[in-house]
Amino acid sequence: MRTMQSCIITFLFFVISSSVIWGQSSRLIQLPEYYKGSGVIICDSSKIPIHTDFKSFFVVSIEEARLAETILQKDIKRFFKERYVIFPKERSSSVSEKRKWEKTITRVNAAKRYKHYYRQYAGFISFNNEKIILIGLLNFKHTRKSAKHFRNWENEIIVGFGEFYEKNSDMIFINIPSETIFDL
């Protein structure tokens, strides 16, 4: 009888402890070599409130988050040039104006821009079986405003609309095999 009770207690302990570990919706991390502040790995696909056309979800490892950050720093200049090819023809097309614009989108400036942004990492597998990492970027430089708008950032990907979110958040996808950044 005693043996049966101890087996049941042991079994329940493992079930409860494994559900606590595996049932996590996120895991906090810090990568100070890439940014100031905190990051979070989202462990539950239901905490990603965006529609994506990917085959499946996976939990990003710390090594994969580091790799994604390295790719972000390496490819960000190209990404910003493509994303902000908003150098309208209506504007002055003088050579000095274009050079000034090009200077503002350098790798160094882009990396500096995201230095104070907290990170949210989520992983997807594409239909080509490529690993894609979503990095949600949230500006926590002004903590009081950020705390108000980015409530629960440690548990779910933050998506918002309006001026505050446009100025203080970004969402970037990193294709690990091709080492490139893209938008959806």
Side-chain angles (χ1 to χ4, degrees):
M1 186 71 153
R2 205 128 166 87
T3 310
M4 182 65 123
Q5 285 177 338
S6 62
C7 285
I8 291 172
I9 290 171
T10 305
F11 175 75
L12 287 174
F13 172 76
F14 282 115
V15 168
I16 292 169
S17 63
S18 66
S19 68
V20 168
I21 292 169
W22 297 110
Q24 292 178 345
S25 62
S26 63
R27 186 175 66 185
L28 286 172
I29 64 168
Q30 294 200 342
L31 301 173
E33 63 271 28
Y34 297 104
Y35 54 89
K36 297 178 180 183
S38 296
V40 66
I41 293 174
I42 303 297
C43 301
D44 181 357
S45 63
S46 70
K47 302 297 181 179
I48 304 169
I50 57 172
H51 174 72
T52 58
D53 283 332
F54 295 116
K55 185 166 69 173
S56 61
F57 171 82
F58 75 93
V59 177
V60 176
S61 70
I62 293 176
E63 293 77 27
E64 289 166 327
R66 276 196 177 94
L67 179 58
E69 289 291 340
T70 301
I71 294 168
L72 177 65
Q73 287 188 354
K74 186 181 84 176
D75 196 40
I76 200 145
K77 184 176 181 179
R78 180 208 54 84
F79 174 72
F80 269 100
K81 281 183 180 178
E82 286 179 10
R83 185 191 244 187
Y84 298 109
V85 176
I86 306 168
F87 191 80
K89 292 177 182 170
E90 300 88 45
R91 262 202 203 172
S92 165
S93 57
S94 70
V95 174
S96 64
E97 183 102 11
K98 283 185 180 177
R99 281 192 190 133
K100 184 179 177 185
W101 180 79
E102 287 273 331
K103 261 187 164 177
T104 62
I105 301 178
T106 63
R107 186 177 123 199
V108 174
N109 288 338
K112 273 186 183 177
R113 174 182 178 188
Y114 291 132
K115 196 73 171 169
H116 293 281
Y117 282 56
Y118 283 27
R119 291 348 193 230
Q120 298 179 299
Y121 302 96
F124 301 96
I125 303 294
S126 73
F127 286 102
N128 297 331
N129 291 321
E130 296 173 318
K131 283 190 171 184
I132 308 294
I133 296 179
L134 159 71
I135 302 179
L137 298 149
L138 307 170
N139 187 357
F140 270 85
K141 195 169 186 178
H142 308 289
T143 354
R144 191 173 294 184
K145 284 183 181 180
S146 300
K148 176 183 169 191
H149 290 283
F150 299 142
R151 275 188 295 253
N152 208 23
W153 77 274
E154 307 98 331
N155 297 311
E156 61 188 14
I157 297 289
I158 300 293
V159 178
F161 300 97
E163 186 178 353
F164 178 83
Y165 292 99
E166 287 175 21
K167 289 183 177 180
N168 294 290
S169 66
D170 206 345
M171 199 170 287
I172 293 175
F173 290 84
I174 311 252
N175 183 315
I176 297 299
S178 70
E179 296 188 356
T180 55
I181 304 170
F182 66 95
D183 275 327
L184 276 188

